[in-house]
Amino acid sequence: MTEDALSSKTRKPNLLLLTQRIPYPPNKGEKIRHFQILKHLAKSHNVHLGCLVDDPDDWQHGDTVRSFCADAYLARLDRRRDVLSHLKALATGDALSVALYRDPGLAAWVARTLETVRPDVVFVCSSNMVPYVMGHSQRGLKRIVDLVDVDSEKWRAYADKAFGPMKWLYRREARLVLDLERRAARQADFSTFVSEAEAAMFRRLVPERAGTIVGISNGVDCGYFDPAGDFAAPYNVGVPNFVFTGTMDYVPNVDAVIWFSNEILPSIRRNLPDAQFHIVGANPTPAVQNLARIRNVTVSGRVPDVRPYLAHATAAVAPMRIARGIQNKVLEAMAMGRPVIVTSDALEGIDAAPETELLLADDTASFAAAAHRLAADVTEGRRIGEAARARVVADFSWEGRLAGFDRLLAN
């Protein structure tokens, strides 16, 4: 780095950024958002990044992340310590999710950074990372907490569907996470969420901080997700193909593909007996892997590129019954110019017109009917897909969406 470049870099304000997972590669919801935030903030700030690494494959990306940072500390999140951390949380009254992301080395690094760098801004991504800076006082320090979703509502939804001890455990988590979310909002200058719907829900939960709660949506990289690319078909395109993308150990995604495979797909096959369903995403749980026993259901696991699966799909599907915030899978499929069939929960935060830019279906019969319609009329699918891409190109650029953070930082 030249002396002039170094001088320019040091003139930037210092910003402490905490993310619960290394924000690269951007291959799942939170990491997509956090990587784009890191890139955006690095243009105007010296970023000091603290994060955890829960996937051993992600250590190879440390240098990529550091290239955006003045300093970075990557801590190992060992999944083998889950049981111990959860037992400790039950004994101390902490939320289980918070205990999982607690690391002494990262805590010490955060404390040193706050003391020696004295950052101008603390930017925390997710409620799980808030305890690392909870209670720190520094005159003139701006605090932004990107809660993304109202996680306490997610745990409450899990409790509604659970039985026995798990229902009690999820209810406990919902209560403790909500308490943490409220405390974070009271200490932060601004609390941000991935959609206006999530922000509005949180305003009802913390009405005294309503004026500091802001919705800042995700975008999508329309240059990367571009249907003009040359993508070899990863499956037989001579039959109808329906595709779901997402991390497959995430409870809402697991629920969605089980519903589609067990209830929606049999209805589709009454008229489309050869229809295929492709579940594309890393870390499929045993329950998801078992779906591959169903005829013409494939479970891919991690793939290097989801675009070929989307490019040749009759439709992408997002049959979400438990969902919080915005669905990147929907934005990416729209950017690829494919028709998407969504539930109302999957449409949250996406200003797209049903029937024109996607299809909306909230029960088995209507979902199957939408699938039949798109398989029967290729022209209709092309029309919806083209309108979908036009919508995200016009309204969902990352730079345009993340400019909302610039306004908060300047406030």
Side-chain angles (χ1 to χ4, degrees):
M1 183 179 293
T2 67
E3 185 174 342
D4 286 344
L6 181 61
S7 174
S8 173
K9 187 173 185 177
T10 57
R11 285 197 296 268
K12 295 179 181 179
N14 287 300
L15 182 146
L16 173 61
L17 175 65
L18 300 179
T19 64
Q20 64 183 10
R21 291 183 175 87
I22 181 174
Y24 199 88
N27 56 4
K28 61 187 299 183
E30 70 182 74
K31 293 174 73 172
I32 293 169
R33 180 175 176 88
H34 296 164
F35 177 60
Q36 293 294 337
I37 286 174
L38 169 61
K39 285 202 305 179
H40 187 79
L41 294 175
K43 296 175 184 177
S44 55
H45 292 77
N46 289 327
V47 175
H48 301 258
L49 171 69
C51 63
L52 296 112
V53 181
D54 66 340
D55 185 339
D57 289 341
D58 284 352
W59 283 103
Q60 65 183 299
H61 304 296
D63 288 344
T64 299
V65 169
R66 289 187 177 94
S67 70
F68 295 96
C69 303
D71 184 26
Y73 185 96
L74 279 58
R76 184 181 305 277
L77 195 162
D78 188 349
R79 288 294 182 182
R80 292 174 297 181
R81 75 184 188 197
D82 278 14
V83 174
L84 181 59
S85 67
H86 287 172
L87 289 174
K88 287 181 178 178
L90 289 173
T92 60
D94 290 336
L96 302 185
S97 49
V98 171
L100 176 62
Y101 291 96
R102 183 180 293 129
D103 180 84
L106 179 56
W109 177 84
V110 170
R112 287 196 304 271
T113 301
L114 289 168
E115 180 65 27
T116 60
V117 176
R118 296 186 64 79
D120 303 277
V121 180
V122 168
F123 195 116
V124 181
C125 297
S126 88
S127 61
N128 295 329
M129 304 303 287
V130 167
Y132 283 101
V133 295
M134 186 74 78
H136 177 77
S137 60
Q138 175 184 318
R139 187 182 297 274
L141 178 65
K142 175 160 286 188
R143 297 173 176 84
I144 295 177
V145 179
D146 185 35
L147 292 170
V148 187
D149 305 324
V150 185
D151 272 349
S152 55
E153 283 296 301
K154 174 191 72 178
W155 293 111
R156 186 192 60 76
Y158 291 178
D160 289 344
K161 288 183 173 290
F163 299 93
M166 292 308 297
K167 179 179 284 289
W168 173 85
L169 199 64
Y170 287 147
R171 283 178 174 170
R172 176 187 184 275
E173 195 73 359
R175 173 174 54 82
L176 293 173
V177 170
L178 177 57
D179 179 65
L180 178 59
E181 290 168 337
R182 283 172 166 157
R183 285 186 288 143
R186 288 163 185 155
Q187 292 189 16
D189 292 283
F190 295 100
S191 303
T192 58
F193 291 85
V194 77
S195 71
E196 180 53 34
E198 292 291 297
M201 175 182 292
F202 198 62
R203 291 186 196 108
R204 293 192 293 272
L205 295 170
V206 196
E208 71 276 15
R209 297 294 290 164
T212 67
I213 297 169
V214 182
I216 298 179
S217 173
N218 280 3
V220 63
D221 185 345
C222 291
Y224 181 78
F225 290 98
D226 186 343
D230 183 16
F231 304 106
Y235 44 70
N236 175 15
V237 296
V239 299
N241 289 279
F242 301 96
V243 174
F244 181 98
T245 61
T247 302
M248 292 317 307
D249 58 357
Y250 181 51
V251 172
N253 288 347
V254 173
D255 177 78
V257 298
I258 288 175
W259 179 37
F260 192 93
S261 298
N262 289 338
E263 299 184 34
I264 298 172
L265 188 59
S267 294
I268 292 173
R269 283 183 171 157
R270 290 183 189 127
N271 293 323
L272 302 170
D274 294 325
Q276 299 190 62
F277 180 40
H278 306 277
I279 302 169
V280 184
N283 305 322
T285 65
V288 174
Q289 293 175 35
N290 285 339
L291 297 176
R293 298 175 181 176
I294 300 172
R295 184 177 65 87
N296 287 347
V297 174
T298 61
V299 179
S300 71
R302 188 192 302 272
V303 298
D305 191 346
V306 301
R307 292 175 298 175
Y309 290 86
L310 294 172
H312 298 280
T314 303
V317 297
M320 312 302 293
R321 299 188 296 184
I322 309 170
R324 298 253 56 87
I326 201 166
Q327 296 296 316
N328 291 296
K329 61 176 66 69
V330 175
L331 291 177
E332 291 167 0
M334 292 174 68
M336 287 296 293
R338 302 316 302 145
V340 191
I341 309 171
V342 302
T343 56
S344 296
D345 282 349
L347 189 56
E348 180 184 314
I350 300 175
D351 184 19
E355 295 299 314
T356 302
E357 295 159 342
L358 45 67
L359 296 181
L360 181 63
D362 280 319
D363 56 50
T364 298
S366 58
F367 223 106
H372 294 154
R373 173 178 166 188
L374 293 173
D377 191 341
V378 175
T379 301
E380 173 81 343
R382 184 181 301 114
R383 177 189 65 77
I384 292 173
E386 290 173 352
R389 177 165 173 84
R391 166 62 69 185
V392 295
V393 168
D395 293 340
F396 284 91
S397 74
W398 275 109
E399 283 303 303
R401 294 289 168 167
L402 296 184
F405 287 117
D406 297 334
R407 292 189 287 272
L408 299 186
L409 289 166
N411 194 303

